[in-house]
Amino acid sequence: QVPLVESGGGLVQAGGSLSLSCTANGRPITRYAVGWFRQAQGKEREFVAAITWSGSNTHYADSVKGRFTISRDNTKNTVYLQMNSLKADDTALYFCAHPAERYWSGRVYYPDEYRFWGQGTQVTVSS
C-alpha cells in the first residue's frame, strides 16, 4: 500500500494554476513535516516546498517562490500545493513525502531525509 497519495495534476496552459493535494493512505500525517518534490523527464528529483507538522513554517525552492504556496489542513489530513503562474519549466511528476520521525524539522530540501512517498501526479504546462 502506497503511504501517500497525490492528486490534482493535469494539463494547463502557461500562466495557469493547479492545486495539488497529498493525503495519507489510511493513516494520519498530522504530526509529520511534508515536502513536495518534482522530477522532470531526464532530470533528478528536486525540492519544491515543505511545511512543518504544525504548519507554522514553510520552505520553498527559489524557482517557485512567489508562485507556489504550500499549506495543510490537519483536520483533513491533507497537505496542499497551490501553483500559480505556471511555466513550461514546471512540467514534471510531483511527489509528496514525509520523514520517518514525527515533529521532524531537519534538512527539508533533501529527498533522502524523507522516508514515505507517494507515486506522484503529473503536471504538464503547455507554452
Side-chain angles (χ1 to χ4, degrees):
Q1 198 174 33
V2 180
L4 298 173
V5 179
E6 304 92 343
S7 62
L11 173 63
V12 65
Q13 288 188 333
S17 299
L18 281 174
S19 181
L20 306 184
S21 297
C22 170
T23 59
N25 207 352
R27 58 190 187 81
I29 55 171
T30 55
R31 295 294 179 259
Y32 296 94
V34 173
W36 282 97
F37 292 79
R38 66 187 182 187
Q39 187 165 17
Q41 198 164 8
K43 296 187 177 180
E44 292 187 354
R45 191 168 298 189
E46 65 174 2
F47 171 78
V48 176
I51 189 167
T52 53
W53 71 271
S54 65
S56 60
N57 288 300
T58 57
H59 307 268
Y60 296 94
D62 288 344
S63 59
V64 307
K65 274 181 186 175
R67 300 188 299 122
F68 291 12
T69 303
I70 189 171
S71 62
R72 68 190 303 158
D73 184 343
N74 282 343
T75 66
K76 297 182 178 179
N77 204 36
T78 301
V79 174
Y80 305 97
L81 185 68
Q82 177 65 41
M83 305 186 297
N84 299 328
S85 302
L86 283 161
K87 307 175 182 179
D89 286 348
D90 295 318
T91 295
L93 188 61
Y94 283 71
F95 301 88
C96 64
H98 77 76
E101 182 181 343
R102 289 186 293 180
Y103 309 114
W104 173 86
S105 59
R107 303 187 309 164
V108 298
Y109 301 94
Y110 296 92
D112 289 348
E113 296 289 331
Y114 296 79
R115 174 80 66 85
F116 301 100
W117 292 79
Q119 291 187 319
T121 184
Q122 179 67 37
V123 171
T124 302
V125 184
S126 63
S127 56

